């Protein structure tokens, strides 16, 4: 994966299973690619919700699962892995959030970004509300607790109609779990069922595979799913069909795990398809096709199959170098990058290679990889990106650089090629990308490439205002509540 852009968050929930907490733990493991800054689980025995959260990946927070999981053991649970898009990477922002209001306890886990969060927060603070975190998610709890919202016939549906932006959400009340997906369906959210009959909700279906659950269907945009003692039920907080979806195509290109299935298709198959299309659009005479692992691998396989050129692993990714690796100086940072992505000299030396990457964001990381291949003796380097040039920033829950930092924002193709120090450069066209996708073209968000934001972004800049709430707090110790 390219380190120019970061993953978002992953959520997992299960109702009515004696091993709900253990299954959540393994579900979070399989969603770890979506965030490693913090992890947490909230569980409930039908009366009292408790939670445990901490900084770092699931393994660091929960260890091997002994002890902590036993204390949390309950038949319903929700979990979260975090990459911060709004709100700093601090323990106070780790999820699920847990609060108490007039109707009892509620725990919340969120994937996405609420672009009107800071406006709402200003409003609530003006009336004296006190916030415990700097995350956009906390505003949802204040909305739930507001007396005029509590008295509505369907308080949750009412609250969701106040939110703007991208959100896949899990709520836990003492008697039920509720899942909701924003009306644009920006990020995926799926429903599964264990062989024992317990319902499961997760950001990606790879979490179902991990616990032996079967995929049932995706949560629809604008839908609320309730899991309780009566089983599963559904309702909509936005009339179906009134808003065109804006599925994030980057989920398929980069963020998601290859064995996941959403937006109507499997991620691996989609990446292979765009790799094939890339070979049709940008053929070149060469000896070998190599991927930038991991997210470029399937596209490189597709390119190799289409071009009939051999595939090999010229770059090897180490999964043991943590993303939060703190290198003290530039030299140490360079060594860390080399450890993370190592060149197999014997595979590339003297060869004309086609390198397939999922995308090129700032370009500096990509140039480092190309230099390493050149130093290893590659004779020619033909770089192919399995998505179009990224020209516009993103506001709905992914940490992308600003417009000025994007290499394709103000450079010609030749200038980018020269900057990256490669012999030729080819990007997949937007038409080609959309032709490979299963849903109708206007059901996807393509704003990264053409700037056409389906969710209005005029107030999105307020997300950055959230940082002004950043409190000078030290990382609190991990704790039970
Ligand atoms: S702007 Fe890009 S990253 Fe954001 S939802 Fe659209 S396609 Fe996804």
């Amino acid at each position: 994966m390219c380190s120019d852009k970061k993953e978002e968050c992953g959520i997992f929930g299960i109702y009515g299973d004696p091993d709900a907490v253990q299954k959540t733990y393994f579900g979070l493991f399989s969603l770890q690619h979506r965030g490693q800054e913090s992890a947490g689980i909230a569980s409930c025995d039908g009366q009292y919700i408790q939670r445990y959260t901490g900084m770092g990946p699931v393994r660091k927070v929960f260890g091997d699962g002994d002890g902590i999981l036993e204390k949390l053991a309950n038949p319903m649970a929700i979990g979260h892995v975090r990459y911060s898009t709004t709100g700093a990477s601090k323990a106070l922002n780790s999820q699920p959030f847990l609060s108490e209001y007039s109707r009892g306890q509620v725990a919340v886990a969120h994937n996405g970004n609420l672009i009107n969060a800071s406006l709402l927060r200003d409003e609530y603070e003006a009336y004296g509300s006190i916030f415990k975190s700097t995350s956009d998610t906390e505003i949802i709890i204040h909305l739930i607790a507001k007396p005029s919202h509590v008295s509505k016939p369907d308080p949750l549906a009412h609250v969701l109609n106040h939110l703007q932006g991208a959100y896949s959400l899990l709520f836990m009340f003492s008697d039920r779990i509720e899942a909701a997906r924003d009306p644009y369906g920006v990020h995926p959210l799926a429903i599964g069922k264990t062989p024992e009959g317990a319902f499961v909700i997760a950001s990606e279906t790879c979490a179902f595979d991990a616990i032996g659950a079967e995929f049932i269907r995706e949560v629809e945009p604008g839908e609320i799913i309730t899991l309780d003692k009566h089983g599963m039920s559904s309702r909509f907080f936005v009339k179906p069909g009134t808003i065109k979806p804006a599925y994030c195509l980057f989920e398929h290109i980069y963020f998601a795990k290859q064995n996941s299935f959403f937006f109507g298709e499997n991620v691996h198959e989609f990446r292979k398809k765009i790799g094939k299309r890339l070979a049709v659009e940008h053929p070149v005479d060469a000896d070998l096709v190599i991927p930038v692992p991991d997210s470029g691998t399937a596209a490189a396989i597709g390119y190799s199959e289409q071009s009939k050129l051999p595939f090999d692993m010229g770059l090897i990714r180490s999964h043991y170098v943590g993303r939060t690796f703190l290198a003290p100086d530039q030299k140490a940072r360079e060594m860390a990058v080399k450890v993370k992505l190592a060149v197999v000299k014997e595979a590339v030396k003297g060869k004309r290679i086609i390198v397939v990457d999922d995308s090129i964001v700032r370009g500096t990381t990509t140039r480092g990889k190309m230099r390493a291949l050149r130093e290893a003796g590659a004779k020619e380097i033909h770089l192919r990106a399995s998505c179009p040039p990224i020209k516009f920033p993103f506001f709905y829950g992914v940490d992308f650089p600003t417009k000025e930092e994007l290499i394709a924002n103000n450079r010609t193709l030749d200038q980018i090629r020269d900057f990256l120090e490669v012999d030729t450069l080819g990007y997949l066209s937007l038409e080609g990308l959309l032709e490979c996708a299963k849903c109708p073209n206007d059901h996807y968000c393509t704003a990264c490439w053409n700037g056409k934001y389906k969710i209005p972004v005029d107030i999105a800049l307020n997300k950055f205002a959230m940082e002004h709430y950043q409190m000078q707090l030290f990382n609190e110790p991990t704790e039970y509540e």
Side-chain angles (χ1 to χ4, degrees):
M1 289 179 194
C2 169
S3 58
D4 282 343
K5 56 192 181 306
K6 315 280 170 53
E7 296 84 354
E8 355 151 40
C9 297
I11 56 177
F12 182 95
I14 178 166
Y15 180 94
D17 188 304
D19 297 323
V21 170
Q22 196 184 54
K23 284 178 178 158
T24 303
Y25 169 76
F26 285 110
L28 291 182
F29 254 117
S30 67
L31 296 172
Q32 190 78 86
H33 58 286
R34 298 183 73 86
Q36 295 110 52
E37 288 187 3
S38 70
I41 296 176
S43 71
C44 185
D45 58 2
Q47 290 188 324
Y48 181 70
I49 303 176
Q50 55 176 334
R51 73 158 195 162
Y52 187 89
T53 65
M55 297 302 290
V58 178
R59 181 67 177 268
K60 181 164 179 263
V61 175
F62 293 97
D64 289 331
D66 329 325
I68 301 169
L69 297 188
E70 278 159 26
K71 283 184 195 160
L72 283 174
N74 276 315
M76 63 165 149
I78 63 170
H80 187 267
V81 285
R82 177 167 196 258
Y83 175 73
S84 55
T85 50
T86 301
S89 177
K90 294 211 171 227
L92 77 161
N93 286 333
S94 53
Q95 299 187 28
F97 285 144
L98 176 60
S99 287
E100 186 130 10
Y101 73 120
S102 60
R103 294 287 168 96
Q105 289 177 293
V106 57
V108 183
H110 174 207
N111 164 212
N113 186 256
L114 304 178
I115 57 180
N116 62 338
S118 65
L119 292 179
L120 289 169
R121 183 167 172 152
D122 281 344
E123 236 175 73
Y124 277 71
E125 285 190 328
Y127 285 96
S129 294
I130 293 169
F131 286 74
K132 292 193 287 190
S133 77
T134 61
S135 158
D136 59 339
T137 308
E138 194 183 353
I139 190 66
I140 303 169
I141 292 173
H142 287 263
L143 288 163
I144 287 173
K146 191 175 180 181
S148 62
H149 295 168
V150 169
S151 59
K152 295 286 174 202
D154 187 343
L156 185 59
H158 183 77
V159 163
L160 293 171
N161 273 305
H162 284 73
L163 306 180
Q164 289 176 356
Y167 52 89
S168 289
L169 287 161
L170 279 174
F171 298 90
M172 180 190 274
F173 300 90
S174 60
D175 60 343
R176 67 193 187 281
I177 289 173
E178 307 231 45
R181 190 168 170 210
D182 69 74
Y184 294 88
V186 177
H187 300 301
L189 192 63
I191 309 167
K193 202 174 186 182
T194 66
E196 298 78 29
F199 285 102
V200 193
I201 308 264
S203 294
E204 288 182 40
T205 60
C206 61
F208 302 156
D209 299 342
I211 62 159
E214 170 202 2
F215 169 59
I216 298 179
R217 69 170 173 90
E218 298 182 51
V219 177
E220 296 294 324
E223 185 180 22
I224 299 172
I225 296 290
T226 302
L227 309 180
D228 61 14
K229 64 181 179 189
H230 305 295
M232 183 183 96
S233 58
S234 152
R235 66 193 189 278
F236 283 84
F237 61 97
V238 169
K239 202 168 163 211
T242 51
I243 293 180
K244 270 221 178 98
Y247 302 142
C248 173
L249 259 173
F250 244 108
E251 287 278 1
H252 262 163
I253 294 165
Y254 165 76
F255 299 125
K257 215 184 236 181
Q258 286 92 322
N259 59 326
S260 287
F261 182 101
F262 56 86
F263 304 164
E265 61 188 314
N266 166 252
V267 174
H268 180 74
E269 290 303 316
F270 177 81
R271 289 181 188 166
K272 265 174 62 177
K273 253 193 291 176
I274 55 178
K276 285 185 178 179
R277 175 74 189 220
L278 190 57
V280 172
E281 290 187 8
H282 297 286
V284 62
D285 194 20
D287 303 314
L288 197 65
V289 180
I290 70 160
V292 176
D294 295 321
S295 44
T297 305
I301 294 170
Y303 195 107
S304 159
E305 282 179 9
Q306 181 68 34
S307 62
K308 308 273 186 286
L309 291 170
F311 171 93
D312 204 352
M313 295 301 288
L315 290 164
I316 305 291
R317 176 169 299 278
S318 167
H319 295 272
Y320 304 102
V321 181
R323 54 183 302 126
T324 49
F325 185 83
L326 294 172
D329 54 36
Q330 183 59 25
K331 210 169 164 201
R333 270 193 293 277
E334 280 169 18
M335 282 193 279
V337 169
K338 281 188 177 159
V339 172
K340 192 154 190 173
L341 203 64
V343 178
V344 185
K345 286 194 193 97
E346 293 71 12
V348 302
K349 195 170 176 192
K351 305 249 173 71
R352 298 170 301 158
I353 55 171
I354 297 167
V355 184
V356 180
D357 204 349
D358 59 86
S359 55
I360 304 162
V361 185
R362 283 190 183 88
T364 42
T365 312
T366 308
R367 184 171 62 183
K369 295 169 201 162
M370 300 308 115
R371 277 184 184 164
L373 287 164
R374 193 80 75 179
E375 280 166 19
K379 201 159 80 180
E380 287 173 21
I381 301 177
H382 304 279
L383 180 61
R384 299 293 179 264
S386 63
C387 79
I390 298 166
K391 297 185 174 174
F392 299 90
F394 175 66
F395 297 102
Y396 317 137
V398 180
D399 187 23
F400 261 17
T402 60
K403 193 172 175 184
E404 291 65 41
E405 291 172 304
L406 297 168
I407 190 170
N409 169 44
N410 54 9
R411 286 185 181 83
T412 64
L413 194 67
D414 287 351
Q415 286 172 328
I416 302 170
R417 182 203 58 205
D418 293 346
F419 177 85
L420 298 174
E421 300 170 8
V422 294
D423 295 276
T424 68
L425 171 65
Y427 287 94
L428 183 64
S429 66
L430 187 53
E431 303 71 51
L433 178 63
L434 287 168
E435 270 173 36
C436 292
K438 195 121 188 194
C439 301
N441 288 357
D442 59 359
H443 284 200
Y444 293 100
C445 174
T446 52
C448 282
W449 304 292
N450 60 12
K452 292 182 182 165
Y453 295 95
K454 288 191 170 184
I455 305 179
V457 293
D458 51 329
I459 54 170
L461 292 173
N462 280 291
K463 106 166 188 165
F464 302 108
M466 285 299 288
E467 297 306 333
H468 98 89
Y469 297 110
Q470 183 53 45
M471 292 170 269
Q472 291 307 306
L473 291 176
F474 297 103
N475 282 356
E476 309 96 303
T478 298
E479 60 183 1
Y480 289 102
E481 282 182 20

